[in-house]
Amino acid sequence: MSSRTICLRVVEQCRSRRFRFTHQIVLRGKVLCSNLSTNKEGPSHSEKEWGTTKEKHGYGTNGGFEKRDREAAGLFYLNTLQLPEMLQKNLDSYLKKFPRKVLENDGKKLARHIRNRGRPTDQTWQKYRESRRQREEANQAKPADILKLHKQQGDSIFDDGDNISEDEDDEFDEDSVSQETSSEPHETGDSDTDDEQDDSRTNTETTDTNDGKPAIIKKQKVVKKPRGSEYKLIRYNQREAAAYAASRLPASYGATLRVFHEISRREPNFKPENLLDFGSGSGTATWAAHETWGDSLREYQCVDVSQDMNTLAEYLLRGGEGLKHSLHIPGVYFKRLLPVSNLITYDVVVASYALSEIPKASLRKMAVISLWGKTSDFLVIIEHGNTEGFEITAEARNLVLKKGDGEPVDDESSEGNQYQYLDASAEEMDDGFVFSPCPHDVKCARSDAETRDHPCNFEQRIQLALCQRNTKLKKRGFHTERFSYIVLKKGARVSEEKPWPRVLEPVRYRKRHVICRLCCSSGDLKQKTFTKKKDSDIYKCARHLTKWGDLLPDPEDRERLRVNRKAVKS
């Protein structure tokens, strides 16, 4: 037998063994992954045990699941948003009326001021109270010190037998006294006045050790008392309105459109006919609502106290000044004052970045009560994604749900006397529930400023504003707007419905699993891990489709998949 024949036989044996090996793997794979198999011979053991094949959320219903369905329920993420073509054209025309450099500087200053205007929050007040409590405990007299003081009060300085001689009087001349006093710090004022003058001052207590050297026992930082006067209101004149259009208009439009998009996705049959925009400003809510519901809306009522902001909003709608240009969106009306009567209601009432312009908590309560009475379906409140914005939305949530948790504290009790007649609990308010983002109506897990990790906020990418085009954001090409919002709906929540949990942070990706931070329908914040093997029905959706702010199809009563290994082996 030649060597060539031997080689051919060896090759044939290898091919046959490889065929049998791959055939066994394919058959075994069909049994383990029966829901992905296209075998038409009949259901496997796992299919008989679990019944029909479970749908993978976000990947369609037909076999293969190779195409991602970005329009699946619970997915509200929007890619980088651009202003509508007509709005961008009218905005560029409006900004050309002002000097470019002055407009950019004013826009940056205004955006910085809005972001860090320094309103005292609940967390600021809690830090101040804790600092004051610690100071009071440190200043309390000890029993041993009290007994020592009583003993010293019975003695007199003349009881001592030692007398100072005339020669010893020379030791206390003026020069020596001045040197000694200059070497020691001179302390004046009480603790209360010192607290208000300097925020970074500290109080220290010293005692004498055995060596005679003073030892520091306690060093405590003094927290300055919050003042409501530090919050500065913005009077939106023509210059401030132009600065707002150059810095904040795309961000306001993107956050509002993201919230309206979620309402339209979750309520596809909801077709509003009228809308009330409280604190309309540049009118971005009108453009976002028209982009979402189109011609279904017939009336837009815009209310803003600033006449210059109303002029800006009307210019963006008309593309010019005066009545010679028609409105791009028909049915838009402007007012400077909110109607007192609630006889006329609106399908959607929105306050986008408006409540943060109201300095008093009592006035914000009054505004929320009035807006809640003027809506027939939805009340939408959008604020900045910082601590102040989250607490404003939490105030509105607790007020509508008639919860007493997390009520704000007025900065100065003496300054709020003129609003003491307002009692939110005395007002008759219609029942409602939280439509979004909370999947529950119980106390918010992040309402406590001491225990929460960070405010409840979300993100949306939007195009760069005019004053951001020459900054470091130019390389990225977009700006990430972080916002907090609350959507309240009138009526009662359906008891049979168990809402899906909300994703509160970006999903963390690992090799064969993902980690999600969720706000569940029970009111708790949970961190769940979804693996590729046990959570195959939602794993791919959580890994490839779910973003920060979306709903994850993981209800409370869901059971994780388990493979019966005995049935597979048989």
Side-chain angles (χ1 to χ4, degrees):
M1 184 180 296
S2 63
S3 58
R4 182 179 179 182
T5 306
I6 296 176
C7 293
L8 292 175
R9 289 184 178 181
V10 170
V11 170
E12 291 178 358
Q13 292 178 0
C14 292
R15 289 179 178 177
S16 60
R17 291 176 182 177
R18 181 181 178 183
F19 174 77
R20 290 195 300 269
F21 178 73
T22 54
H23 184 67
Q24 293 177 0
I25 292 179
V26 170
L27 292 179
R28 188 176 300 175
K30 287 184 178 181
V31 175
L32 292 178
C33 305
S34 58
N35 55 344
L36 298 179
S37 176
T38 56
N39 186 14
K40 299 181 180 179
E41 296 179 357
S44 61
H45 295 284
S46 59
E47 289 180 352
K48 291 179 181 179
E49 181 181 357
W50 291 100
T52 58
T53 308
K54 289 199 172 185
E55 173 190 352
K56 289 204 170 184
H57 182 76
Y59 278 80
T61 55
N62 297 327
F65 308 112
E66 60 274 355
K67 186 176 181 180
R68 300 177 184 177
D69 184 12
R70 298 188 182 274
E71 300 296 327
L75 304 179
F76 314 116
Y77 176 79
L78 296 175
N79 294 326
T80 304
L81 294 177
Q82 304 289 333
L83 294 178
E85 183 179 357
M86 184 59 65
L87 176 59
Q88 184 64 51
K89 178 181 178 181
N90 297 341
L91 178 62
D92 295 338
S93 175
Y94 177 81
L95 296 178
K96 286 181 180 179
K97 300 191 302 180
F98 304 92
R100 180 66 177 267
K101 292 185 178 180
V102 176
L103 199 60
E104 290 182 356
N105 293 334
D106 290 347
K108 293 177 182 179
K109 290 180 181 179
L110 180 64
R112 189 185 306 112
H113 176 75
I114 293 176
R115 186 172 59 252
N116 305 316
R117 74 174 80 197
R119 183 199 301 273
T121 59
D122 289 350
Q123 188 174 7
T124 308
W125 279 100
Q126 289 183 7
K127 289 181 179 179
Y128 167 72
R129 296 193 190 96
E130 182 65 21
S131 174
R132 186 175 62 181
R133 184 186 63 81
Q134 293 178 1
R135 292 200 309 271
E136 291 176 354
E137 292 179 354
N139 294 332
Q140 288 180 357
K142 300 179 181 179
D145 297 337
I146 296 176
L147 294 176
K148 185 177 180 180
L149 180 61
H150 285 299
K151 184 178 179 181
Q152 291 178 355
Q153 288 178 353
D155 301 335
S156 175
I157 59 175
F158 300 104
D159 294 341
D160 297 336
D162 299 335
N163 295 325
I164 300 177
S165 61
E166 295 180 357
D167 298 335
E168 294 174 347
D169 291 340
D170 298 337
E171 298 178 1
F172 297 95
D173 56 356
E174 296 180 357
D175 297 336
S176 62
V177 173
S178 61
Q179 292 177 2
E180 291 177 1
T181 55
S182 62
S183 62
E184 296 181 358
H186 183 63
E187 298 181 359
T188 59
D190 52 13
S191 59
D192 295 335
T193 57
D194 293 342
D195 296 348
E196 298 179 359
Q197 292 176 359
D198 192 357
D199 189 12
S200 61
R201 292 193 55 178
T202 57
N203 293 338
T204 58
E205 298 179 0
T206 59
T207 57
D208 295 335
T209 59
N210 296 332
D211 301 336
K213 297 180 179 179
I216 299 176
I217 292 181
K218 195 172 185 179
K219 186 176 181 181
Q220 181 182 354
K221 183 177 180 181
V222 177
V223 179
K224 185 179 177 182
K225 184 177 181 180
R227 290 179 176 270
S229 59
E230 295 178 359
Y231 174 82
K232 297 181 180 179
L233 289 174
I234 304 175
R235 303 298 181 184
Y236 285 95
N237 299 321
Q238 185 180 11
R239 184 175 179 181
E240 287 77 11
Y244 188 90
S247 60
R248 292 288 309 162
L249 193 144
S252 177
Y253 172 80
T256 309
L257 181 61
R258 160 65 178 79
V259 178
F260 286 168
H261 174 72
E262 179 178 352
I263 297 176
S264 64
R265 288 290 311 279
R266 294 180 59 183
E267 297 287 340
N269 297 327
F270 176 67
K271 301 296 181 182
E273 296 182 358
N274 46 21
L275 178 141
L276 173 63
D277 186 5
F278 175 72
S280 57
S282 57
T284 53
T286 300
W287 290 88
H290 181 73
E291 184 74 17
T292 304
W293 290 292
D295 296 335
S296 173
L297 284 167
R298 300 178 181 178
E299 180 184 357
Y300 304 84
Q301 194 65 253
C302 300
V303 179
D304 198 288
V305 70
S306 174
Q307 182 60 38
D308 293 299
M309 292 297 286
N310 290 334
T311 303
L312 167 62
E314 189 172 0
Y315 186 97
L316 296 178
L317 287 170
R318 295 184 182 275
E321 297 178 354
L323 301 178
K324 59 181 180 180
H325 302 85
S326 61
L327 293 172
H328 179 70
I329 302 176
V332 182
Y333 305 94
F334 295 93
K335 288 184 179 181
R336 297 190 62 182
L337 298 177
L338 185 67
V340 179
S341 176
N342 293 336
L343 296 178
I344 300 177
T345 59
Y346 300 86
D347 297 336
V348 179
V349 175
V350 56
S352 179
Y353 298 98
L355 295 181
S356 58
E357 302 293 338
I358 302 177
K360 287 289 181 180
S362 55
L363 293 177
R364 290 197 299 270
K365 284 185 178 181
M366 191 190 311
V368 172
I369 293 174
S370 179
L371 295 177
W372 180 247
K374 289 177 173 54
T375 181
S376 58
D377 287 294
F378 289 98
L379 172 60
V380 181
I381 298 176
I382 306 173
E383 287 297 335
H384 301 276
N386 51 16
T387 303
E388 175 190 355
F390 169 67
E391 290 184 357
I392 290 176
T393 57
E395 291 174 14
R397 181 183 188 274
N398 295 332
L399 189 60
V400 173
L401 297 181
K402 302 174 184 178
K403 305 282 185 181
D405 306 320
E407 291 187 355
V409 182
D410 277 334
D411 43 8
E412 295 290 346
S413 59
S414 61
E415 296 180 3
N417 291 334
Q418 63 269 32
Y419 306 112
Q420 287 184 357
Y421 68 89
L422 177 64
D423 185 8
S425 60
E427 296 284 342
E428 294 184 1
M429 301 177 61
D430 298 333
D431 295 333
F433 64 95
V434 181
F435 181 82
S436 177
C438 309
H440 58 83
D441 298 330
V442 299
K443 179 181 178 181
C444 179
R446 287 177 169 172
S447 59
D448 191 357
E450 293 183 351
T451 59
R452 64 169 173 243
D453 47 358
H454 59 80
C456 186
N457 49 27
F458 305 93
E459 289 185 349
Q460 177 59 51
R461 291 183 177 181
I462 45 92
Q463 72 174 54
L464 296 179
L466 176 66
C467 64
Q468 296 173 339
R469 296 174 186 174
N470 294 328
T471 60
K472 296 180 180 179
L473 297 175
K474 183 178 180 180
K475 297 181 179 179
R476 301 173 62 183
F478 61 88
H479 166 65
T480 303
E481 172 67 10
R482 186 166 294 185
F483 63 95
S484 299
Y485 76 100
I486 190 77
V487 179
L488 303 166
K489 185 178 181 181
K490 284 195 172 181
R493 188 188 294 273
V494 181
S495 58
E496 300 179 356
E497 178 186 1
K498 292 186 177 181
W500 292 346
R502 177 83 56 175
V503 181
L504 298 181
E505 295 177 1
V507 181
R508 287 177 283 177
Y509 307 105
R510 299 298 182 263
K511 188 175 181 180
R512 292 184 177 272
H513 66 277
V514 293
I515 304 174
C516 301
R517 181 78 169 173
L518 305 175
C519 177
C520 302
S521 58
S522 60
D524 301 327
L525 301 182
K526 298 181 180 180
Q527 181 171 296
K528 290 190 176 182
T529 302
F530 301 97
T531 64
K532 185 177 181 180
K533 186 174 182 181
K534 296 183 179 180
D535 307 290
S536 59
D537 51 342
I538 62 173
Y539 167 78
K540 292 184 69 177
C541 177
R543 189 172 189 89
H544 302 293
L545 297 176
T546 303
K547 303 294 182 181
W548 184 1
D550 292 340
L551 296 177
L552 198 63
D554 181 45
E556 295 289 336
D557 55 351
R558 173 182 169 272
E559 296 182 0
R560 303 182 70 181
L561 297 176
R562 294 182 181 180
V563 179
N564 192 344
R565 299 184 180 278
K566 294 183 179 180
V568 172
K569 292 181 179 179
S570 61

